[in-house]
């Protein structure tokens, strides 16, 4: 490794991460994770001796390899590298980093360009599901520039539609791991749900909050944060995730009535720091909770007639589309994201 490791540094959605080919990393997971900690500069709150950005949203890794199944074009393993702990977690996927997988797979020669739009079927190794990403490739080149704007990212870029099917129970085994749309934990009504991401949905008001607090204000609220974490630890067992004290799931979502014409307003904990926005799969799971009459989210939500859920968050909103059957079963979901190549080179441990 003294000559460095090929690394593609990319923004995907509202996250940034290091993209590697599996063949360029150690095959043994423990050895690989130790290497990634060194590369990202963890554990250190500033990640000063690595390429991480001192934030969970910029301390992410995507590992790509040739597809291991016939219905996919590329395998994608997502790893969350903790900033201030020596931990690397594969317990979840990441829908934002997923937005950059299609372009990265083309950049690395894993997927050939196929016309003005190249569809890339991505096997999400963390969950076993397959997503479809549509990458703009006019004139045989990836186009990163465009007019699509997503909240949480300055400027505009080329849109990358992401389409998902069969993501219910992706980590927990079922959409509602407890079999109920509402559980009461420590006196707080919760919806424990997994439609692509295990989340716990709760009313902000039940913690003495409006749901309109800034990120800094929420980070300073030790009382509510402590209560939320205590509930999260209990939800881990209820969601069949085991001891989640050092895990990155479930995410904790506080909901309130929409403020700007959306479906629901959110404040997301990932899981111990406040998210500047909300993850794609977390937004899908939260939007799905809005459809469950017993859920705390349903009591606050404004349900769109066309299935296009605008999920409000601290820096704007994220739109997700739910394909809803007449019996309110969610058949599929989608989101429009953007991505950009930031650096292509070698990183050193």
């Amino acid at each position: 490794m003294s000559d460095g490791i090929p690394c593609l540094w990319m923004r995907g959605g509202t996250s940034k991460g290091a993209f590697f080919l599996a063949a360029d990393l150690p095959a043994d997971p423990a050895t690989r994770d130790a290497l990634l900690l060194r590369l990202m500069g963890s554990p250190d709150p500033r990640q000063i001796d690595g390429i991480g950005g001192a934030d969970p949203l910029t301390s992410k890794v995507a590992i790509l390899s040739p597809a291991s199944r016939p219905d996919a074009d590329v395998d994608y393993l997502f790893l969350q590298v903790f900033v201030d702990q020596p931990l690397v977690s594969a317990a979840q996927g990441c829908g934002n980093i997923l937005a950059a997988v299609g372009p990265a797979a083309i950049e690395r020669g894993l997927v050939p360009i196929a016309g003005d739009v190249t569809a890339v079927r991505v096997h999400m190794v963390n969950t076993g599901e397959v997503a479809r990403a549509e990458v703009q490739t006019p004139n045989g080149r990836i186009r990163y520039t465009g007019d699509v704007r997503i909240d949480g990212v300055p400027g505009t870029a080329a849109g990358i539609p992401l389409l998902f099917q069969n993501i219910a129970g992706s980590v927990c085994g079922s959409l509602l791991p407890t079999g109920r749309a509402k559980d009461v934990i420590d006196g707080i009504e919760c919806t424990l749900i997994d439609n692509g991401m295990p989340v716990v949905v709760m009313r902000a008001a039940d913690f003495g909050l409006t749901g309109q607090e800034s990120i800094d204000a929420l980070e300073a609220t030790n009382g509510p944060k402590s209560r939320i974490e205590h509930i999260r630890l209990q939800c881990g067992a209820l969601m069949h995730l085991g001891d989640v004290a050092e895990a990155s799931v479930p995410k904790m979502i506080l909901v309130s009535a929409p403020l700007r014409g959306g479906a629901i307003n959110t404040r997301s904990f990932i899981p111990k720091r406040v998210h500047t926005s909300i993850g794609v799969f977390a937004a899908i799971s939260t939007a799905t909770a809005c459809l469950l009459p017993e859920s705390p989210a349903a009591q606050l939500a404004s349900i769109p007639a066309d299935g296009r859920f605008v999920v409000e968050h601290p820096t704007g909103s994220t739109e997700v589309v739910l394909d809803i059957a007449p019996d309110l079963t969610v058949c599929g979901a989608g989101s429009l994201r953007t991505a950009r190549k930031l650096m292509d080179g070698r990183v050193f441990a």
Side-chain angles (χ1 to χ4, degrees):
M1 301 295 180
S2 60
D3 293 331
I5 303 164
C7 175
L8 189 60
W9 187 248
M10 298 193 72
R11 175 185 64 78
T14 54
S15 296
K16 285 193 295 188
F19 285 67
F20 298 99
L21 293 179
D24 292 328
L25 295 174
D28 173 64
T31 305
R32 177 202 67 200
D33 291 352
L35 173 64
L36 294 176
L37 288 167
R38 293 198 302 274
L39 294 176
M40 301 301 281
S42 299
D44 172 29
R46 295 184 299 160
Q47 290 184 320
I48 195 66
D49 197 35
I51 62 174
D55 186 286
L57 299 182
T58 58
S59 186
K60 299 184 175 187
V61 168
I63 299 178
L64 308 184
S65 55
S68 60
R69 47 193 286 181
D71 59 346
D73 300 307
V74 62
D75 279 5
Y76 153 54
L77 174 67
F78 171 73
L79 296 174
Q80 179 70 59
V81 181
F82 283 57
V83 174
D84 55 357
Q85 301 179 62
L87 295 174
V88 178
S89 174
Q92 64 180 76
C94 179
N96 277 303
I97 290 296
L98 172 64
V101 170
I106 296 171
E107 293 274 5
R108 285 295 185 250
L110 294 173
V111 176
I113 288 176
D116 289 343
V117 176
T118 299
V120 181
R121 298 169 303 168
V122 181
H123 171 211
M124 299 178 288
V125 176
N126 303 75
T127 63
E129 311 297 342
V130 175
R132 175 186 170 99
E134 297 180 352
V135 183
Q136 301 295 314
T137 53
N139 303 313
R141 296 177 62 88
I142 299 171
R143 186 176 72 192
Y144 291 104
T145 59
D147 58 3
V148 173
R149 183 184 303 276
I150 61 173
D151 289 329
V153 178
T156 63
I160 301 177
L162 301 174
L163 306 172
F164 313 101
Q165 290 185 323
N166 304 317
I167 56 174
S170 61
V171 177
C172 301
S174 60
L175 180 70
L176 299 172
T178 68
R180 298 178 293 273
K182 181 179 72 176
D183 289 276
V184 179
I185 303 173
D186 288 356
I188 300 293
E189 293 185 349
C190 310
T191 296
L192 284 59
I193 187 169
D194 172 15
N195 197 22
M197 175 68 69
V199 305
V200 179
V201 179
M202 306 167 290
R203 282 184 293 262
D206 289 346
F207 294 88
L209 302 169
T210 66
Q212 303 176 32
E213 288 81 4
S214 68
I215 296 168
D216 289 343
L218 284 174
E219 288 286 6
T221 56
N222 291 328
K225 282 183 66 178
S226 177
R227 290 184 67 195
I228 290 168
E229 178 63 10
H230 191 253
I231 291 172
R232 190 180 80 88
L233 295 178
Q234 297 175 70
C235 289
L238 293 171
M239 299 179 82
H240 316 300
L241 298 171
D243 182 358
V244 297
E246 296 185 341
S248 54
V249 289
K251 312 297 189 189
M252 308 300 282
I253 313 292
L254 301 183
V255 295
S256 56
L259 303 171
R260 303 180 298 277
I264 195 74
N265 185 49
T266 64
R267 294 295 185 266
S268 175
F269 292 78
I270 56 169
K272 300 178 183 179
R273 291 178 64 172
V274 182
H275 202 314
T276 56
S277 55
I278 187 171
V280 172
F281 289 121
I284 290 171
S285 289
T286 302
T288 305
C290 294
L291 297 171
L292 306 176
E294 295 181 5
S295 170
Q299 302 163 19
L300 299 165
S302 176
I303 305 299
D306 60 359
R308 303 177 74 89
F309 284 74
V310 175
V311 180
E312 300 174 359
H313 55 69
T315 55
S317 61
T318 294
E319 182 178 302
V320 298
V321 179
L322 299 183
D323 179 9
I324 306 166
D327 63 355
L328 296 184
T329 299
V330 178
C331 303
S335 178
L336 181 63
R337 298 276 85 188
T338 65
R340 190 164 78 87
K341 180 172 66 172
L342 303 176
M343 186 279 296
D344 189 356
R346 304 182 80 86
V347 63
F348 297 83

